């Protein structure tokens, strides 16, 4: 079963705009992670936010975590055509031993 | 950087064949995982392993088995391939199951069963 559910399922924006996607989950977690997948390739880890953190930045990426609402958001600022990919959130539930549960992903298209 | 290598990017096999998918990681990670990815269903965990010769079932283990004889290698075996096992297979590894660490993925094997 998928614990993380991303919203929206697909997003189309112009280069230079910001892209925001959300993830909701159901159980208590150790951390929440975001991954990117380019078409036909494996997943690449982007950022990990621990359950006691509220916000984290990495380059043009900003992730927030609200454990009271069991939700997270990923913001990509000043998007580029190379950001076109699918983005997945994954939760690391407590006592699951790094056995991640992935959401269905958000497909992002950045038009030049 | 961690490198996770899957033996084939594309593979075509016939129904009933025994199929081996190989995965090797080069960072001495304890954990290794096999997922399948299908449109609309996301990533689903097939099997995982926390140590050599150790394996645990994931969410969809039916029709699959695994082998971990060496720490760096985790093999997925389709005992008798069926058309509903046509999918993208992804291998991943992570440091251990105690710390907050990401998983590192290989490039995937797109398997077609005819």
């Amino acid at each position: 079963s998928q614990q993380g559910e991303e919203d929206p399922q697909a997003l189309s924006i112009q280069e230079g705009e910001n892209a925001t996607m959300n993830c909701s989950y159901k159980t208590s977690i150790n951390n929440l992670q975001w991954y990117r997948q380019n078409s036909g390739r494996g997943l690449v880890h982007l950022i990990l936010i621990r359950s006691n953190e509220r916000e984290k930045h990495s380059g043009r990426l900003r992730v927030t975590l609200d454990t009271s609402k069991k939700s997270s958001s990923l913001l990509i600022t000043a998007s580029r055509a190379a950001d076109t990919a699918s983005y997945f959130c994954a939760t690391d539930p407590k006592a699951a031993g790094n056995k991640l549960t992935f959401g269905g992903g958000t497909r992002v298209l950045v038009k030049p | 950087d961690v490198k996770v290598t899957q033996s084939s990017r594309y593979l075509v096999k016939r129904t009933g064949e025994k199929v081996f998918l190989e995965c090797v990681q080069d960072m001495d990670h304890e954990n290794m995982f096999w997922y399948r990815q299908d449109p609309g269903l996301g990533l689903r965990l097939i099997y995982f392993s926390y140590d050599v010769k150790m394996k645990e079932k994931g969410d969809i283990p039916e029709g699959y088995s695994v082998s971990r004889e060496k720490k760096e290698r985790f093999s997925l075996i389709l005992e008798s391939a069926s058309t509903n096992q046509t999918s993208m297979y992804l291998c991943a590894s992570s440091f251990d199951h105690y710390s907050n660490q990401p998983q590192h993925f290989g490039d995937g094997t797109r398997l077609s069963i005819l």
Side-chain angles (χ1 to χ4, degrees):
Chain A
S1 61
Q2 296 183 31
Q3 178 173 218
E5 295 293 336
E6 282 98 335
D7 171 58
Q9 290 189 336
L11 187 57
S12 180
I13 56 175
Q14 294 293 137
E15 215 167 18
E17 292 180 344
N18 295 342
T20 300
M21 58 211 86
N22 304 295
C23 171
S24 60
Y25 59 93
K26 294 178 182 150
T27 63
S28 296
I29 59 172
N30 290 318
N31 63 72
L32 185 144
Q33 304 175 29
W34 285 92
Y35 290 80
R36 183 187 74 232
Q37 184 180 34
N38 290 87
S39 181
R41 306 303 293 267
L43 277 70
V44 175
H45 176 254
L46 296 175
I47 199 161
L48 181 153
I49 185 164
R50 300 179 185 222
S51 60
N52 61 354
E53 297 175 310
R54 292 295 165 259
E55 189 170 312
K56 203 160 181 181
H57 298 254
S58 177
R60 294 183 295 111
L61 305 180
R62 173 179 168 252
V63 168
T64 63
L65 178 64
D66 187 335
T67 52
S68 66
K69 294 181 179 177
K70 291 187 167 60
S71 68
S72 174
S73 68
L74 171 66
L75 168 68
I76 305 172
T77 60
S79 62
R80 305 167 181 168
D83 295 327
T84 293
S86 291
Y87 292 83
F88 294 87
C89 72
T91 52
D92 186 354
K94 286 187 186 295
N98 193 229
K99 197 174 73 164
L100 300 180
T101 303
F102 286 84
T106 295
R107 294 187 313 279
V108 174
L109 172 64
V110 181
K111 293 178 281 189
Chain B
D1 271 359
V2 176
K3 188 157 180 64
V4 179
T5 303
Q6 293 185 231
S7 53
S8 306
R9 289 293 309 280
Y10 301 94
L11 205 54
V12 180
K13 296 291 183 181
R14 297 208 172 272
T15 304
E17 280 192 71
K18 191 168 185 175
V19 181
F20 294 84
L21 302 183
E22 306 286 348
C23 175
V24 176
Q25 50 94 4
D26 67 355
M27 283 301 290
D28 204 36
H29 282 175
E30 289 187 0
N31 300 345
M32 296 189 77
F33 307 84
W34 274 107
Y35 298 89
R36 65 177 283 176
Q37 184 178 26
D38 301 286
L41 296 176
L43 273 77
R44 293 180 291 168
L45 182 64
I46 305 171
Y47 266 97
F48 60 103
S49 169
Y50 289 151
D51 203 349
V52 176
K53 296 193 187 295
M54 178 271 175
K55 62 184 178 184
E56 287 196 32
K57 294 179 180 179
D59 299 319
I60 51 163
E62 296 77 21
Y64 303 94
S65 63
V66 290
S67 172
R68 194 164 180 203
E69 295 296 318
K70 294 184 177 181
K71 193 173 185 179
E72 67 270 18
R73 186 180 297 270
F74 193 34
S75 304
L76 180 69
I77 304 156
L78 285 66
E79 298 290 344
S80 178
S82 63
T83 54
N84 63 12
Q85 292 177 310
T86 290
S87 186
M88 173 74 139
Y89 289 87
L90 292 163
C91 175
S93 72
S94 66
F95 183 70
D96 64 25
H97 55 286
Y98 301 110
S99 55
N100 287 292
Q101 293 290 332
Q103 292 186 9
H104 301 268
F105 283 80
D107 267 342
T109 295
R110 190 165 293 281
L111 176 64
S112 295
I113 307 296
L114 305 178

